[in-house]
Amino acid sequence: MDSVTAIENWPVEHAAAAVILADGSVAGSSGDTERRFPLASVTKLLTAYSMLVALDEGALELDQPAGPEGSTVRHLLAHSGGYDFAERTVRYAPGTRRLYSNAGFEVLGETLKEATGIPMAEYMHEGVLAPLGMNSTALEGSPAAGAVSTVADLSRFAAELQQPVLTAPGRLTEATTVVFPGLAGVLPGFGRQKENDWGLGFEIRDSKSPHWTGADSSPRTFGHFGQSGTFLWVDPDAGAAAVALTDRDFGPWAAEVWPPFTDGVLAELRRA
């Protein structure tokens, strides 16, 4: 795909990308898809999916207490538990504000370990990574931002996000539907959003503007980007997903090139 090779012009030293169709096939790729990159907050997608598996297994419940008083697993997955970004300081009452929080995802990891006796890194490996053949992926640090992976591995994960086999029917649909609708908050890197919609660990595009996906991305698009210059999105209306990994931290360069990349991919898919 010509739209995918556009990453060769990005102002980064190394980049790799792929577009994955709903049937799991790779429509196009560019760069070294076996190169391992730090994922930063794209890690949250892997952590959230691990939590969905735990919900299916009955190890956790969405409405069980976790985090600050009044907060639940559901609140923490939806960045509405009230924690600050990095510290376990409570800034808001649970469910009243969308406050993006790494601390909340770290508490989720602790909650899972307490319930199962299994550390998040091990649970993720056994429940998600190994079954999908993601052999180059590992959680090496925080469940909020500590994974490393490759485009090849995340392409397998992107296929799973379009045709799930590891979680119960409807579970992913629930996770990619807005939780606590109408909450305002700041989308990191893109400013305050009147309706900063989020699912269960998955950011939902909806009508956000500005945004890191494209102008032509459907409102149902979901995914995440990372501070390490990485992203993964799934657009159900387009029947496709895209993964891009780089070795340059997110900044104005990314906000400039990512949306045209996405719009280029969507345009080329429509022409196919």
Side-chain angles (χ1 to χ4, degrees):
M1 296 180 69
D2 291 340
S3 55
V4 180
T5 60
I7 68 167
E8 296 171 8
N9 298 317
W10 287 3
V12 300
E13 185 172 356
H14 297 99
V19 172
I20 305 92
L21 302 182
D23 64 5
S25 63
V26 176
S29 65
S30 184
D32 183 356
T33 61
E34 299 292 345
R35 182 185 178 92
R36 298 179 90 212
F37 292 86
L39 297 185
S41 284
V42 173
T43 299
K44 291 183 176 71
L45 297 181
L46 298 172
T47 295
Y49 215 71
S50 300
M51 299 297 283
L52 299 187
V53 172
L55 291 168
D56 286 343
E57 293 180 345
L60 297 172
E61 296 181 1
L62 281 173
D63 292 322
Q64 76 179 64
E69 184 177 357
S71 174
T72 64
V73 168
R74 188 191 309 272
H75 283 103
L76 295 185
L77 279 169
H79 295 286
S80 56
Y83 277 136
D84 211 334
F85 169 68
E87 305 296 331
R88 300 186 187 185
T89 304
V90 180
R91 294 271 304 277
Y92 299 100
T96 63
R97 174 88 173 185
R98 195 83 64 191
L99 183 55
Y100 183 79
S101 178
N102 281 350
F105 265 68
E106 288 165 359
V107 171
L108 285 171
E110 294 168 6
T111 302
L112 179 67
K113 183 179 180 181
E114 182 178 346
T116 65
I118 305 172
M120 175 58 81
E122 183 179 342
Y123 197 94
M124 181 186 294
H125 177 78
E126 296 297 327
V128 178
L129 305 181
L132 294 180
M134 297 174 65
N135 299 322
S136 296
T137 305
L139 180 62
E140 297 182 344
S142 166
V148 295
S149 189
T150 66
V151 165
D153 271 13
L154 288 179
S155 294
R156 298 180 181 95
F157 183 57
E160 167 72 12
L161 293 177
Q162 295 179 87
Q163 297 287 341
V165 297
L166 299 183
T167 187
R171 180 72 77 183
L172 182 60
T173 299
E174 180 183 18
T176 55
T177 301
V178 181
V179 180
F180 307 115
L183 295 186
V186 174
L187 178 62
F190 292 89
R192 188 179 186 277
Q193 305 281 343
K194 185 177 180 181
E195 295 187 357
N196 193 18
D197 290 339
W198 227 278
L200 297 175
F202 296 82
E203 197 232 316
I204 300 172
R205 194 201 191 293
D206 220 336
S207 58
K208 296 189 182 86
S209 181
H211 198 258
W212 54 275
T213 60
D216 293 333
S217 296
S218 78
R220 295 202 300 149
T221 298
F222 61 86
H224 221 292
F225 81 88
Q227 185 61 33
S228 57
T230 57
F231 69 74
L232 185 160
W233 57 251
V234 177
D235 189 333
D237 289 1
V243 177
L245 305 180
T246 79
D247 57 0
R248 182 179 180 184
D249 285 353
F250 173 84
W253 73 269
E256 180 178 338
V257 302
W258 286 356
F261 169 87
T262 293
D263 284 337
V265 167
L266 294 173
E268 191 167 356
L269 289 172
R270 286 194 298 269
R271 292 193 300 268

